[in-house]
């Protein structure tokens, strides 16, 4: 995998084909868990781990999986990896595991993971498939973190609420002070839909502006080599 291919994977995963803003996949966990930044990012990191390892496993085994039963095999691989992540959260981050609840096991049915396994890992080598899974997961994480941060900030006036479940020595950052009344709609499901809609609108507006800027940019002048002129310039040099 060369630098150009890595840049293309990074651009697709983090922006162009972003699962949360462009493809609109996995909206159920995106909307349900994004009540706080910590919850949203934690589920996103769990999804990254499953997606990356699933891409690696499927790409390594793709030549041994019959085409007719590929989907059940893919789901079995994703389910096994999700079980490992689920048990690990339960063992090491039990409080956070209780908060995330059913959404960790539901990674098995998350269309983001299955879509990348089917569309990319089953057709490419293990290294590029692993990088693709990692970058697609990172694209989902930054959307989850931004969505969770906006909803938590508007709804409760805090950031990083629940961070003590991961690092006991840390605590939430009270941005607006103790007198902030909160904005309840931001914490409810309608607030999730409205906030995500605003993010998608901003995403589309940025893409439209970039496309317009690229259209107005003057094309680069083509480099035309004149063979006759080159030959004429070479003759004096050879004579000297």
């Amino acid at each position: 995998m060369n630098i150009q291919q890595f840049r293309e994977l990074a651009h697709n995963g983090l922006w162009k084909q972003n699962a949360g803003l462009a493809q609109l996949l996995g909206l159920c966990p995106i909307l349900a868990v994004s009540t706080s930044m910590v919850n949203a990012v934690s589920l996103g990191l769990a999804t990254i781990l499953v997606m990356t390892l699933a891409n690696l496993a499927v790409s390594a085994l793709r030549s041994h999986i019959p085409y007719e039963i590929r989907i059940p095999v893919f789901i079995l691989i994703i389910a096994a990896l999700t079980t490992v992540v689920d048990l690990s959260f339960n063992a090491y981050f039990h409080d956070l595991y209780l908060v995330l609840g059913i959404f960790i096991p539901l990674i098995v049915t998350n269309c983001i993971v299955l879509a990348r396994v089917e569309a990319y890992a089953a057709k490419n080598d293990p290294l590029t498939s692993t990088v693709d899974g990692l970058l697609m997961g990172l694209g989902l994480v930054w959307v989850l973190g931004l969505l969770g941060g906006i909803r938590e900030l508007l709804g409760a006036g805090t950031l990083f609420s629940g961070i003590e479940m991961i690092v006991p020595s840390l605590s939430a950052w009270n941005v607006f002070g103790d007198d902030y009344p909160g904005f309840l709609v931001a914490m409810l499901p309608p607030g999730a839909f409205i906030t995500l809609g605003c993010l998608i609108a901003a995403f589309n507006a940025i893409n439209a502006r970039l496309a317009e800027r690229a259209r107005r940019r003057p094309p680069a002048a083509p480099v035309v080599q004149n063979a006759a002129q080159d030959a004429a310039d070479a003759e004096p040099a050879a004579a000297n």
Side-chain angles (χ1 to χ4, degrees):
M1 182 175 63
N2 53 36
I3 298 297
Q4 181 62 31
Q5 190 175 7
F6 176 80
R7 288 178 178 175
E8 183 179 353
L9 290 176
H11 178 64
N12 288 336
L14 298 176
W15 187 260
K16 184 179 179 180
Q17 298 181 6
N18 188 280
L21 298 179
Q23 300 186 60
L24 302 181
L25 297 175
L27 291 183
C28 179
I30 289 176
L31 297 174
V33 184
S34 59
T35 53
S36 73
M37 182 183 293
V38 171
N39 294 349
V41 172
S42 299
L43 183 64
L45 293 177
T47 306
I48 281 182
L49 186 58
V50 173
M51 188 183 302
T52 303
L53 296 178
N55 275 19
L56 173 61
V58 169
S59 179
L61 299 173
R62 70 186 189 279
S63 59
H64 304 287
I65 301 175
Y67 181 80
E68 294 77 10
I69 62 170
R70 69 192 189 283
I71 299 299
V73 174
F74 294 165
I75 293 177
L76 285 175
I77 293 173
I78 296 170
L81 295 171
T82 302
T83 301
V84 173
V85 172
D86 183 63
L87 294 175
S88 300
F89 266 69
N90 192 10
Y92 299 105
F93 307 105
H94 184 67
D95 293 335
L96 181 61
Y97 171 81
L98 295 176
V99 172
L100 296 179
I102 191 62
F103 291 103
I104 296 180
L106 282 179
I107 294 175
V108 176
T109 60
N110 196 324
C111 49
I112 299 173
V113 182
L114 186 59
R116 295 317 296 175
V117 166
E118 167 68 14
Y120 197 89
K123 302 178 180 66
N124 293 275
D125 62 275
L127 178 58
T128 55
S129 298
T130 303
V131 174
D132 175 77
L134 177 63
L135 292 173
M136 291 297 295
L138 288 175
L140 176 65
V141 165
W142 79 257
V143 173
L144 279 170
L146 181 60
L147 180 62
I150 293 174
R151 292 183 64 194
E152 180 185 353
L153 185 63
L154 295 177
T158 62
L159 283 176
F160 305 107
S161 176
I163 190 65
E164 64 277 359
M165 295 184 293
I166 302 175
V167 184
S169 60
L170 300 180
S171 59
W173 180 25
N174 196 339
V175 179
F176 296 145
D178 296 332
D179 296 332
Y180 181 68
F183 186 56
L184 182 59
V185 174
M187 305 298 289
L188 296 176
F193 280 99
I194 293 171
T195 307
L196 181 61
C198 292
L199 292 180
I200 294 173
F203 174 78
N204 291 334
I206 293 173
N207 283 336
R209 185 171 182 178
L210 292 176
E212 180 67 19
R213 182 180 299 176
R215 188 182 65 83
R216 292 183 177 180
R217 185 180 303 147
V223 178
V224 179
Q225 294 182 352
N226 191 324
Q229 183 65 36
D230 292 344
D233 293 340
E235 289 179 359
N240 294 333

